[in-house]
Amino acid sequence: MTQNFRVIPDEAFGSKAIIRIRDINAIVYNYNLFKAKADATNSLCAAVLKGDVYGLQIKDVAPALYKAGARHFFIEELSEGIELRSILLYEDIHLYALGGLLHGEEHYFKQYKIIPCLNALEQLERWNDYCSKNGKGSAVIHLDSHMNRLGFLDDEVKQLSDNYDVLTKHVNIELYISHFFDIKGSDPSNCYKQLEVLDGYCSILPPKPISFACTDSVILLDNEVFNFDMIRPGIGLVGGAPNAASPIAPDARHTMEVYAKISQIKTVREGQTIGYGGAYTTKRDIKLALVHIGYKHGYLRLLSETDSNPKGVYMFIAGYKIPVIGKISSGATTVDVSDVPESILNQVHYVEVIGPNVDIKFLADISGCYDILGALGVPNIRIADYTLEDYENKFR
């Protein structure tokens, strides 16, 4: 077997067909990579933990990052912030909710000391009014900078500028944030256009700390220009990237491994179809194996290999890439093991779905890094779940 292919005993699987291993120490390592880049520009290094840390699970990640020195955390929804408050029982953390202040949530933000990232003038007006009656509160102003998603638009920025003292009379604005909409390619021109928009906003607003640089910009753009006062790494913490050609940090570590059992190795003749819809046709006589993972476990159907839409998705077994073939079904995926020696197939009864030999950045080109990690990382009673530390303590 290759050095990087994890040897997993049957007892680790137990009654489950799938194992997930989450390397929390690798997340801390990746955080420190970004912190070093933030330190070089005298910027704070926050951590974005939304979506249960893209499947790595906030209950394990947050305490480890706090121990590593992180004090500024971004989540998306109020409920995520309440969960994080129950995990990090410290007074020195700053907790920001990127999703904004939805109706009826004001008292929860106040109760749990969560800072809303206000995405519209209406939210600021409502928060300012609530704080006038319930004590001064903090907030972040999200400036849209022409992404046309979350954030104050041009006219709202102008109204904020003209009426800043009134609109923020009972609110302490901690910082301004904005977000890139085009970072996945090799052309950064849209980022610089957004920077011009942000500069225009800041020229008419009272000075505040700024966070504009997101994970990707830390590597792909000029740190001196885009880091500002705070960077907010997110997908980079878990070893992800916008695409395989543009790794956020070449030395970032993998943080999640998924393994699934195989069965039913059989010979299928050339010209036969595989799976639902007969969407894949064999080009030669092959050995086919069934991997017991499917879309109900988070292995996205988007990764299916069909005649009309070939993608090159693969899994891995003991030194050999094994192509995915046919449509992924609810609980099973078919793979081509023709090139794997019989001796290995007789000995090893599971495959690596993602891990050191199946690069998440490659899958990001097809399905999106957030999508595949978030889907495979969701807590699932059908999956045996371990942190790497727990796994090694039990099965080393």
Side-chain angles (χ1 to χ4, degrees):
M1 293 188 191
T2 59
Q3 184 177 0
N4 291 328
F5 185 68
R6 188 178 295 281
V7 177
I8 300 176
D10 288 341
E11 56 265 34
F13 283 96
S15 63
K16 311 293 176 64
I18 303 168
I19 278 181
R20 176 174 56 218
I21 299 174
R22 298 172 289 112
D23 189 347
I24 308 305
N25 289 332
I27 296 175
V28 173
Y29 177 88
N30 294 341
Y31 172 79
N32 286 327
L33 291 178
F34 289 108
K35 187 176 185 304
K37 292 187 174 293
D39 290 346
T41 53
N42 295 314
S43 306
L44 287 171
C45 186
V48 178
L49 306 184
K50 63 183 182 179
D52 214 9
V53 202
Y54 312 100
L56 272 294
Q57 299 186 21
I58 199 169
K59 66 181 177 62
D60 297 311
V61 173
L65 289 178
Y66 182 86
K67 187 176 180 181
R71 295 295 181 269
H72 295 77
F73 299 92
F74 286 82
I75 43 78
E76 188 162 24
E77 302 168 8
L78 170 63
S79 60
E80 293 176 328
I82 294 172
E83 179 185 4
L84 184 52
R85 274 293 180 203
S86 71
I87 295 168
L88 295 181
L89 303 175
Y90 308 105
E91 292 294 326
D92 61 341
I93 66 168
H94 304 259
L95 179 52
Y96 308 94
L98 290 164
L101 180 70
L102 306 186
H103 283 275
E105 293 183 344
E106 291 85 351
H107 66 286
Y108 295 107
F109 274 94
K110 195 75 169 176
Q111 177 183 350
Y112 291 99
K113 299 181 181 178
I114 300 168
I115 301 166
C117 296
L118 303 174
N119 299 317
L121 189 62
E122 178 273 332
Q123 293 183 11
L124 174 58
E125 291 171 338
R126 189 157 35 87
W127 186 232
N128 188 53
D129 179 65
Y130 181 85
C131 291
S132 73
K133 302 166 185 171
N134 297 277
K136 193 160 189 174
S138 294
V140 169
I141 297 293
H142 191 149
L143 302 170
D144 180 81
S145 68
H146 296 183
M147 185 178 186
N148 290 311
R149 192 185 61 142
L150 298 173
F152 281 52
L153 301 174
D154 291 353
D155 60 333
E156 293 180 304
V157 175
K158 180 64 166 58
Q159 292 179 64
L160 175 60
S161 172
D162 292 342
N163 304 281
Y164 188 88
D165 289 341
V166 173
L167 290 168
T168 64
K169 183 176 182 180
H170 305 286
V171 178
N172 172 44
I173 304 301
E174 291 199 0
L175 70 155
Y176 304 132
I177 67 171
S178 195
H179 197 80
F180 291 120
F181 66 80
D182 185 12
I183 192 65
K184 294 183 182 300
S186 58
D187 179 6
S189 57
N190 281 330
C191 298
Y192 283 91
K193 290 177 182 177
Q194 283 187 266
L195 180 62
E196 290 180 10
V197 174
L198 181 65
D199 286 341
Y201 291 161
C202 292
S203 71
I204 64 173
L205 293 172
K208 295 289 179 183
I210 299 170
S211 174
F212 191 39
C214 300
T215 297
D216 309 323
S217 68
V218 178
I219 301 301
L220 304 182
L221 297 173
D222 186 342
N223 293 355
E224 292 288 345
V225 174
F226 285 98
N227 275 8
F228 287 101
D229 300 284
M230 178 191 288
I231 66 171
R232 292 176 277 129
I235 198 67
L237 295 179
V238 297
N243 49 56
S246 303
I248 294 172
D251 48 351
R253 292 181 179 173
H254 290 274
T255 58
M256 186 188 294
E257 301 170 36
V258 175
Y259 300 88
K261 289 184 177 180
I262 59 174
S263 70
Q264 291 188 296
I265 299 170
K266 63 186 75 175
T267 299
V268 178
R269 300 299 180 189
E270 179 182 357
Q272 295 292 305
T273 60
I274 307 295
Y276 283 114
Y280 180 90
T281 307
T282 57
K283 313 303 185 292
R284 58 171 180 163
D285 293 352
I286 66 167
K287 278 190 301 185
L288 175 149
L290 197 70
V291 182
H292 289 259
I293 189 171
Y295 57 78
K296 76 177 181 182
H297 307 105
Y299 195 61
L300 300 175
R301 202 166 196 182
L302 182 63
L303 301 172
S304 298
E305 184 81 6
T306 65
D307 293 339
S308 61
N309 193 10
K311 295 171 181 170
V313 177
Y314 61 91
M315 298 182 188
F316 191 87
I317 181 170
Y320 294 86
K321 287 184 177 181
I322 48 176
V324 169
I325 54 176
K327 287 186 178 180
I328 295 164
S329 56
S330 173
T333 299
T334 44
V335 294
D336 182 351
V337 295
S338 302
D339 298 328
V340 182
E342 286 289 337
S343 58
I344 290 177
L345 294 176
N346 290 333
Q347 179 185 2
V348 182
H349 304 293
Y350 61 91
V351 300
E352 178 185 312
V353 178
I354 61 170
N357 303 290
V358 184
D359 195 341
I360 191 65
K361 294 186 289 296
F362 167 73
L363 296 180
D365 283 345
I366 300 169
S367 69
C369 199
Y370 302 91
D371 303 41
I372 188 70
L373 276 176
L376 283 171
V378 170
N380 192 321
I381 60 172
R382 304 174 184 88
I383 297 174
D385 180 84
Y386 305 94
T387 65
L388 179 59
E389 184 177 6
D390 286 342
Y391 176 85
E392 290 184 338
N393 286 339
K394 290 179 180 178
F395 304 109
R396 181 159 41 186

